[in-house]
């Protein structure tokens, strides 16, 4: 299989895209600096540069760590909270962040970590509740541990 990077340009004003090439369907695309170097995006752009997060909507389902609906990195609106239905955080990588919005104003949303992980120093596998209509940003700060902002323990 072919691996590498492809650079594609289109008509003037349509932009340029970079894409990872590889045999895997989920090929990583990494940009690294040397040593303590800094990576700049849009450092000389005249119109500004934006980095956008993926946005999704997921219906909460299942009531246990083994059958809760999966969420991914990015910004996710969660429907279907009823004080029992749940979602489960993805397998973490240090530095990963995601935001969950409970779209239900009348019920808490249950959130599980991956098996043998924890949220805000709760016990391993313990559920974390996002309040009615609440929003939380989750950061995978150290291996096995997610922290929320705001860091309320519910």
């Amino acid at each position: 299989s072919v691996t590498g990077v492809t650079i594609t340009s289109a008509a003037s004003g349509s932009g340029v895209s970079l894409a990872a090439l590889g045999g895997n369907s989920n090929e990583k695309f990494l940009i690294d600096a040397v040593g303590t170097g800094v990576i700049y995006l849009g450092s000389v752009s005249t119109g500004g540069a934006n980095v956008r997060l993926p946005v999704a909507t997921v219906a909460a389902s299942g009531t246990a760590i083994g059958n809760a609906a999966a969420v991914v990195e990015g910004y996710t609106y969660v429907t279907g909270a009823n004080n029992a239905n749940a979602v489960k955080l993805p397998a973490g990588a240090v530095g990963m962040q995601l935001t969950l919005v409970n779209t239900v104003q009348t019920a808490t949303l249950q959130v599980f970590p991956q098996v043998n992980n924890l949220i805000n120093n709760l016990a391993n596998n313990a559920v974390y509740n996002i309040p009615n209509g609440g929003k939380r940003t989750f950061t995978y700060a150290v291996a096995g541990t997610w922290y929320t902002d705001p860091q309320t323990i519910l």
Side-chain angles (χ1 to χ4, degrees):
S1 76
V2 177
T3 60
V5 175
T6 182
I7 302 172
T8 307
S9 70
S12 179
S14 297
V16 175
S17 71
L18 300 174
L21 296 176
N24 297 323
S25 61
N26 295 314
E27 199 70 43
K28 290 182 181 178
F29 189 84
L30 305 172
I31 301 173
D32 291 317
V34 176
T36 59
V38 177
I39 296 172
Y40 294 97
L41 297 176
S43 65
V44 295
S45 300
T46 59
N50 297 306
V51 177
R52 292 190 170 90
L53 296 173
V55 177
T57 300
V58 171
S61 62
T63 58
I65 198 168
N67 65 2
V71 295
V72 297
E73 192 170 7
Y75 199 92
T76 304
Y77 293 95
V78 182
T79 61
N82 65 0
N83 300 320
N85 284 350
V87 295
K88 183 165 71 172
L89 300 174
V94 173
M96 178 185 278
Q97 279 194 325
L98 60 95
T99 299
L100 300 178
V101 178
N102 178 4
T103 63
V104 179
Q105 300 296 317
T106 58
T108 60
L109 170 64
Q110 293 194 333
V111 180
F112 285 101
Q114 288 286 311
V115 172
N116 295 323
N117 281 210
L118 52 99
I119 301 170
N120 288 349
N121 296 319
L122 297 169
N124 276 355
N125 307 326
V127 69
Y128 174 87
N129 292 304
I130 297 178
N132 307 9
K135 174 177 82 172
R136 294 291 184 275
T137 297
F138 292 79
T139 302
Y140 196 78
V142 296
T145 305
W146 289 92
Y147 289 99
T148 63
D149 183 24
Q151 189 176 358
T152 52
I153 298 179
L154 301 171

